[in-house]
Amino acid sequence: MTTYDGDEHAAGRPLLDPLAAVRGPGDPACDVYLTGTVFLDIIFTGLDSAPIRGTESWARGMGSSPGGVANMATALARLGLRTSLAAAFGDDHYGDYCRDELDRGEGIDLSLSRTIPGWHSPVTVSMAYEGERTMVSHGHEAPPPEEPAPSCPPPSRAAIASLVPGRREEWVAEAARKGSRVFADVGWDDTGRWDPDDLADLEHCEAFLPNAAEAMSYTRTDCPRAAARALADRVPLAVVTLGAEGAYAVDGRTGETAEVPAIAVEALDPTGAGDVFVAGFVTGTLAEWPLADRLAFAGLTAALSVQEFGGSLSAPGWVEIAAWWQHARAYDDQPLRRYAFLDRILPGAARPWPLRRAVPTIGFRRA
């Protein structure tokens, strides 16, 4: 069970609908569609250092939560987007737990997901220390059909794809043909090719959001900003995350650029921060916010997430965002004035900061 401070996440009910101003008759029922592998994440925190070979390490904290693509799905749902996830679930206790948390706990539509009899749920053990993490994962390929994504994705405002170099995903092209705005990220290219032609599905994408190392490798540049400008020749909107420096974006259609510095925080666990950033940027884009506001909001949600442990567990909702802004605007801090756009989005009342965040466990019954 996962418990939260307040009722924002109960049964997937967010504090506000960020797309209320742009919704209209005939809009698709789904805001964002995505697919991928769900892991059971077991997270250890409070380690003073990396585990040492031949010794036993004790962690001061631990928890469990759905991980993998569930990190992105949860981040989207907590920001009030109607989220549909196609994934495979085992019929073991781990699979039941993950499915229940995503469905009943977060309000994510799993009607396109499937449960596979006799399949062992993938598991990741994550150890957080010194602001970094080390992970060990185990899993088996799901039996045919191996890909949980249906060949015909549902109509949606947006779709999020994780590109794999050298591989096309048929559903990405179909989603784009149906009018979905496709947002894509990419993982590390283990082949070392870093050939942008290997990312064939970029031609269907509205936006591409790599990190600085990935962007520079694909564009053969030595500057992330130059990399973003080069990527904007291949995709309408290029967003490059710069780690502690923030993020930089180029709109290839208008030539507009934006850069927003990161919020300095003490990181507990960076797991899922990239997913939270993408979810925040997608939310702002669908809500038709200015480019710089979208970058700032995405960075803020990521900064809030790294101060808690876990991937899906740490994704902030509007309660956390509102409480942070109420706390932040009490200070006459020039950089924080960048977030004044939140005044027109957030409700007037907010709870005191800091909030008590989620406590994940397997084994306790729901009240």
Side-chain angles (χ1 to χ4, degrees), residues 19-93:
L19 306 188
V22 299
R23 295 194 188 279
D27 285 351
C30 173
D31 290 330
V32 185
Y33 168 77
L34 67 166
T35 184
T37 302
V38 173
F39 288 76
L40 171 72
D41 280 357
I42 301 173
I43 309 106
F44 291 99
T45 64
L47 290 165
D48 295 322
S49 62
I52 300 172
R53 181 178 178 180
T55 67
E56 180 179 17
S57 299
W58 280 81
R60 290 187 290 274
M62 73 157 289
S64 304
S65 64
V69 71
N71 295 339
M72 182 79 75
T74 299
L76 293 162
R78 290 188 182 177
L79 292 176
L81 300 187
R82 300 165 186 172
T83 303
S84 174
L85 171 64
F89 292 87
D91 65 347
D92 51 11
H93 289 303

Side-chain angles (χ1 to χ4, degrees), residues 62-227:
M62 73 157 289
S64 304
S65 64
V69 71
N71 295 339
M72 182 79 75
T74 299
L76 293 162
R78 290 188 182 177
L79 292 176
L81 300 187
R82 300 165 186 172
T83 303
S84 174
L85 171 64
F89 292 87
D91 65 347
D92 51 11
H93 289 303
Y94 293 166
D96 290 344
Y97 164 77
C98 289
R99 185 159 196 150
D100 184 61
E101 285 301 311
L102 296 174
D103 179 11
R104 295 173 57 192
E106 305 294 346
I108 295 167
D109 176 14
L110 299 179
S111 60
L112 296 176
S113 293
R114 61 193 179 107
T115 297
I116 304 176
W119 184 54
H120 185 290
S121 295
V123 176
T124 291
V125 175
S126 176
M127 293 160 280
Y129 53 88
E130 299 175 352
E132 297 293 340
R133 69 190 188 279
T134 297
M135 297 183 290
V136 178
S137 296
H138 170 74
H140 304 281
E141 285 189 353
E146 293 179 358
E147 293 298 329
S151 59
C152 187
S156 60
R157 293 174 183 270
I160 297 179
S162 183
L163 304 184
V164 178
R167 189 173 81 189
R168 280 187 178 271
E169 299 284 358
E170 292 183 9
W171 73 265
V172 174
E174 182 62 21
R177 280 193 291 269
K178 286 186 172 183
S180 295
R181 304 167 73 176
V182 181
F183 296 76
D185 61 11
V186 68
W188 193 257
D189 187 353
D190 290 330
T191 69
R193 283 170 49 86
W194 297 106
D195 185 347
D197 291 334
D198 288 344
L199 304 179
D201 282 332
L202 270 185
E203 66 179 307
H204 307 299
C205 294
E206 161 93 2
F208 184 40
L209 298 96
N211 64 34
E214 295 159 351
M216 290 187 291
S217 295
Y218 275 116
T219 58
R220 308 297 193 269
T221 58
D222 57 5
C223 168
R225 294 160 187 82

